[in-house]
Amino acid sequence: MSCCDLAAAGQLGKAGIMASDCEPALNQAESRNPTLDRYLGALREAKNDSEQFAALLLVTKAVKAGDIDAKTRRRIFDAVGFTFPNRLLTTKEAPDGCPDHVLRALGVALLACFCSDPELAAHPQVLNKIPILSTFLTTRGDPDDAARRSMIDDTYQCLTAVAGTPRGPRHLIAGGTVSALCQAYLGHGYGFDQALALLVGLLAAAETQCWKEAEPDLLAVLRGLSEDFQKAEDASKFELCQLLPLFLPPTTVPSECLRDLQAGLARILGSKLSSWQRNPALKLAARLAHACGSDWIPAGSSGSKFLALLVNLACVEVRLALEETGTEVKEDVVTACYALMELGIQECTRCEQSLLKEPQKVQLVSIMKEAIGAVIHYLQQVGPEKQKEPFVFASVRILGAWLAEETSSLRKEVATLAISPTTPGPTWPGDALRLLLPGWCHLTVEDGPREILIKEGAPSLLCKYFLQQWELTSPGHDTSVLPDSVEIGLQTCCHIFLNLVVTAPGLIKRDACFTSLMNTLMTSLPALVQQQGRLLLAANVATLGLLMARLLSTSPALQGTPASRGFFAAAILFLSQSHVARATPGSDQAVLALSPDYEGIWADLQELWFLGMQAFTGCVPLLPWLAPAALRSRWPQELLQLLGSVSPNSVKPEMVAAYQGVLVELARANRLCREAMRLQAGEETASHYRMAALEQCLSEP
């Protein structure tokens, strides 16, 4: 035993460690470690504090001398317990002749031994040591001191063991370990590589919580890693490619980091590489694209060349992976390439401040077309057993991103794929069909693709999808927690249906799925128009329903049923509340202005509103009960009153035409409507606005 050990034994009472703190070993079973058995025996037979402490020192040294099995570890724990290491970690009075960290080192060594048992690593007596263990990582001392190095190694062993338990990461984050690890890594002292490894594990397990607790420290690590990455000339740059995605924050990435990362990636990807070198770089670039769009790529010639290189490499990788049937696909790499292709699609379709010049856009569109062809080929081969896999969803997503902007190429392939038995249906993961909706919106405008979609049953599939998604917005569901994608998907469905109503009216009349759709629209609109913040969806539903009602006017469901009356009352509410009379300073006459709810979204709303007015006008002569219902709602009277209260010069010609269309049809359809309009100064108002058709209609009996 060393002099330090003997001094420590002699000062046991002074340190506050009593013989009663240690329980005798209970397990007398035969052991494969006779040396440790002798030490444990000495611990049991110790007659005073000094002898017991000396035995504990020997036990600790035996533990550190080599591996021990689970049974032996449990014997040590039964003999020592937590009390002894607790006292060693917290005492501030080191024995004479020993450095002040010796006792702490012994305590950490025992904890490290215990923590190799997962059950003990999750013990509250270990978890409550996390704050003090974390401080050991940043305590300054002699870097060549073997005992201090040993204590640091044992500390990392304890913290790593805790991190491996189910709730360990949460306890480490709450105990300040993330900040301590960051400081230990940035200090580049002994064990800093272990700090980085543990940081990686914690970020992988609980990224959001780590950033919430230690954002400044993590950003400092990111700055250091980014700078190292930019300067690296050896194989370490490829290792950093794998680490850096984990250190990108959920918020804004510092600009200096973006510069370093882009410069490092440009140097790597501009070289001839093997796949194991290139793939981590592509994944890092994809992570940056996801986090920052194209903001991390500098403007100018160097930036445009770099972006073109990124997209080109991604397309090549996708083709190599997907064109050959039966080859193993590296899904993580291809998914990263999808993200880079999506970045390319965005830049190629950007009209202002694009990083790419026009010749580069033309070239990249051609290259991406070939890669999308490979994606279509892959999706055509996907069997039912794979349709729920995330990679299939990612493949549908990139196809949807392409279709949202480009449908002039691969029309037949896309139209056929979009409704084939192996593509989006009830078994596909998540909301995969939503990703194809923008493309369908384009395809249904064009004759050839639309006919393919209709022939293969796409409208029926779309109706089923719409009704399924609509259920999520029905009473009983909390719409406040619905992702925006649900409402956007419903709006896009409405746009597709509107295309079909205009371009294929016969389909609406003969396909039973549209009768079901009409019923859903009629029952849903009354509640929808009353909901705050959902005006745009209500506009889509109202306009689609009005256009379909014109085609399905002979349906029994539209013959004045409660549902049909409720729908048209809600549609009138949507159409009638768009404009109000607004006073203007210095003028005696008000002007026609948008209502507050409509004003902020009128750019997206106005086309639907005008189309809805036109569709309502067309429904009036087809549904005899509609004009009296409109009269009871007082819409025609209030509309004339509104026009009479504002300056005619404030009403745009297209508004005059829309209002006149509705008023004329109501007047023609019902005598009581004509009389009510006359009582509301309808003839005079018609004259002021030069509504010749209305003026003539009201002048007749």
Side-chain angles (χ1 to χ4, degrees):
M1 184 179 295
S2 68
C3 294
C4 180
D5 295 341
L6 290 171
Q11 295 290 327
L12 181 59
K14 188 177 180 181
I17 302 170
M18 307 303 295
S20 58
D21 291 339
C22 304
E23 297 294 333
L26 301 177
N27 189 343
Q28 303 294 329
E30 185 178 348
S31 171
R32 290 176 295 178
N33 193 329
T35 301
L36 183 60
D37 281 348
R38 289 198 303 273
Y39 296 160
L40 289 175
L43 180 62
R44 289 194 302 273
E45 296 170 2
K47 295 182 176 60
N48 53 50
D49 290 345
S50 296
E51 290 181 3
Q52 189 175 54
F53 187 65
L56 284 168
L57 291 176
L58 294 173
V59 169
T60 303
K61 288 188 174 184
V63 166
K64 297 180 66 65
D67 295 333
I68 57 175
D69 57 26
K71 181 183 291 187
T72 305
R73 181 170 54 247
R74 179 57 69 168
R75 290 182 63 207
I76 297 172
F77 176 72
D78 290 340
V80 176
F82 282 115
T83 304
F84 184 65
N86 286 351
R87 293 288 182 85
L88 289 174
L89 290 172
T90 57
T91 183
K92 296 181 180 179
E93 298 183 21
D96 294 338
C98 288
D100 59 3
H101 62 272
V102 168
L103 295 182
R104 292 194 298 272
L106 292 174
V108 176
L110 285 172
L111 279 183
C113 170
F114 299 159
C115 284
S116 56
D117 182 335
E119 182 179 344
L120 293 178
H123 195 283
Q125 287 286 346
V126 172
L127 299 179
N128 66 21
K129 304 298 183 302
I130 290 174
I132 191 171
L133 290 173
S134 297
T135 63
F136 294 164
L137 301 179
T138 56
T139 302
R140 294 182 179 180
D142 183 358
D144 296 323
D145 187 295
R148 185 176 295 278
R149 289 191 172 203
S150 178
M151 183 178 74
I152 291 174
D153 286 335
D154 289 336
T155 299
Y156 280 119
Q157 184 177 336
C158 291
L159 296 176
T160 302
V162 172
T165 64
R167 305 180 73 177
R170 189 186 71 174
H171 289 292
L172 291 174
I173 294 167
T177 302
V178 176
S179 291
L181 291 170
C182 292
Q183 294 167 27
Y185 173 74
L186 293 170
H188 275 67
Y190 179 77
F192 79 98
D193 53 338
Q194 297 180 72
L196 185 61
L198 186 49
L199 264 180
V200 168
L202 290 177
L203 284 167
E207 178 185 15
T208 302
Q209 293 88 338
C210 286
W211 281 100
K212 184 178 179 180
E213 290 294 328
E215 181 173 350
D217 295 301
L218 285 169
L219 286 176
V221 173
L222 175 61
R223 290 186 180 94
L225 292 174
S226 301
E227 187 175 352
D228 292 344
F229 179 61
Q230 192 271 336
K231 294 178 179 178
E233 297 291 346
D234 55 12
S236 65
K237 59 188 176 184
F238 302 115
E239 297 173 3
L240 287 169
C241 273
Q242 296 177 324
L243 290 178
L244 279 162
L246 289 167
F247 286 89
L248 295 179
T251 54
T252 305
V253 182
S255 57
E256 64 271 25
C257 296
L258 293 178
R259 286 194 299 269
D260 286 341
L261 294 173
Q262 189 276 330
L265 282 172
R267 196 162 56 248
I268 289 176
L269 295 173
S271 306
K272 188 175 181 180
L273 303 171
S274 61
S275 60
W276 73 267
Q277 296 170 322
R278 180 177 59 252
N279 291 346
L282 290 173
K283 289 195 281 188
L284 173 58
R287 181 72 172 77
L288 288 168
H290 177 75
C292 310
S294 60
D295 293 343
W296 61 288
I297 302 175
S301 176
S302 62
S304 64
K305 289 180 180 178
F306 174 70
L307 177 57
L309 174 64
L310 271 183
V311 178
N312 206 327
L313 288 172
C315 290
V316 170
E317 192 69 33
V318 167
R319 291 187 63 188
L320 288 174
L322 302 183
E323 283 184 344
E324 293 296 328
T325 304
T327 59
E328 183 179 354
V329 177
K330 294 180 179 178
E331 296 179 355
D332 57 338
V333 178
V334 178
T335 301
C337 292
Y338 287 165
L340 297 176
M341 287 175 60
E342 194 165 343
L343 178 63
I345 293 170
Q346 293 169 359
E347 286 299 314
C348 285
T349 54
R350 181 179 293 181
C351 298
E352 297 180 358
Q353 298 182 332
S354 174
L355 293 171
L356 299 170
K357 297 178 180 178
E358 204 58 37
Q360 290 174 312
K361 291 182 179 181
V362 173
Q363 183 183 21
L364 286 182
V365 166
S366 176
I367 294 170
M368 287 191 289
K369 174 184 173 182
E370 294 175 346
I372 291 296
V375 174
I376 293 174
H377 171 77
Y378 167 76
L379 290 174
Q380 288 171 335
Q381 315 304 316
V382 172
E385 72 281 359
K386 288 190 175 183
Q387 289 183 1
K388 293 185 179 181
E389 294 183 0
F391 179 67
V392 175
F393 186 87
S395 300
V396 175
R397 176 188 170 90
I398 187 60
L399 179 59
W402 172 263
L403 292 178
E405 305 295 345
E406 171 59 52
T407 58
S408 61
S409 59
L410 302 171
R411 294 180 182 177
K412 185 175 181 180
E413 295 89 338
V414 167
T416 304
L417 171 71
I419 33 68
S420 69
T422 58
T423 50
T427 62
W428 275 55
D431 188 11
L433 185 56
R434 173 180 55 82
L435 304 175
L436 294 178
L437 295 180
W440 280 22
C441 200
H442 291 305
L443 291 170
T444 48
V445 175
E446 304 177 29
D447 293 340
R450 182 176 62 252
E451 290 305 316
I452 295 175
L453 289 171
I454 293 173
K455 180 181 178 182
E456 299 295 337
S460 178
L461 174 62
L462 189 62
C463 282
K464 291 178 182 177
Y465 173 79
F466 181 88
L467 296 176
Q468 179 191 58
Q469 292 295 295
W470 192 264
E471 280 297 312
L472 299 177
T473 70
S474 62
H477 291 80
D478 185 1
T479 57
S480 65
V481 300
L482 280 180
D484 292 340
S485 59
V486 172
E487 191 147 319
I488 293 172
L490 289 169
Q491 291 176 24
T492 309
C493 283
C494 289
H495 295 167
I496 298 171
F497 290 135
L498 286 171
N499 289 343
L500 293 174
V501 167
V502 173
T503 60
L507 173 70
I508 309 300
K509 295 179 180 179
R510 69 175 181 266
D511 197 321
C513 71
F514 288 101
T515 301
S516 299
L517 176 62
M518 186 71 217
N519 290 335
T520 297
L521 299 179
M522 288 196 298
T523 57
S524 303
L525 186 62
L528 185 60
V529 294
Q530 303 291 343
Q531 297 176 17
Q532 290 291 326
R534 309 191 75 193
L535 182 57
L536 193 55
L537 180 58
N540 277 277
V541 170
T543 304
L544 175 60
L546 290 169
L547 284 167
M548 289 179 61
R550 194 171 58 178
L551 296 175
L552 301 173
S553 60
T554 60
S555 168
L558 286 163
Q559 305 311 309
T561 61
S564 62
R565 289 180 181 275
F567 169 78
F568 276 93
I572 289 173
L573 195 65
F574 158 65
L575 296 171
S576 65
Q577 292 187 340
S578 61
H579 290 78
V580 295
R582 182 175 298 167
T584 55
S587 175
D588 295 334
Q589 201 166 20
V591 297
L592 188 71
L594 287 166
S595 302
D597 289 343
Y598 289 67
E599 193 169 16
I601 58 173
W602 186 246
D604 298 319
L605 201 64
Q606 60 178 335
E607 185 177 354
L608 291 168
W609 187 87
F610 280 108
L611 195 56
M613 291 287 285
Q614 181 183 350
F616 185 94
T617 300
C619 288
V620 172
L622 299 174
L623 301 171
W625 60 269
L626 184 54
L631 182 62
R632 286 192 296 273
S633 76
R634 294 193 55 79
W635 185 26
Q637 301 96 309
E638 292 174 357
L639 179 51
L640 287 169
Q641 184 180 7
L642 175 64
L643 291 173
S645 66
V646 301
S647 168
N649 293 331
S650 69
V651 186
K652 296 179 180 179
E654 59 268 26
M655 293 294 300
V656 173
Y659 286 147
Q660 178 176 224
V662 169
L663 292 170
V664 166
E665 288 301 331
L666 289 173
R668 286 174 178 170
N670 186 270
R671 177 180 58 81
L672 294 177
C673 280
R674 290 195 297 274
E675 293 177 359
M677 290 182 196
R678 292 190 189 104
L679 291 174
Q680 196 63 50
E683 293 178 90
E684 182 181 352
T685 301
S687 176
H688 286 160
Y689 284 90
R690 298 180 180 179
M691 296 179 177
L694 178 60
E695 191 173 5
Q696 180 180 355
C697 184
L698 294 180
S699 66
E700 298 173 355

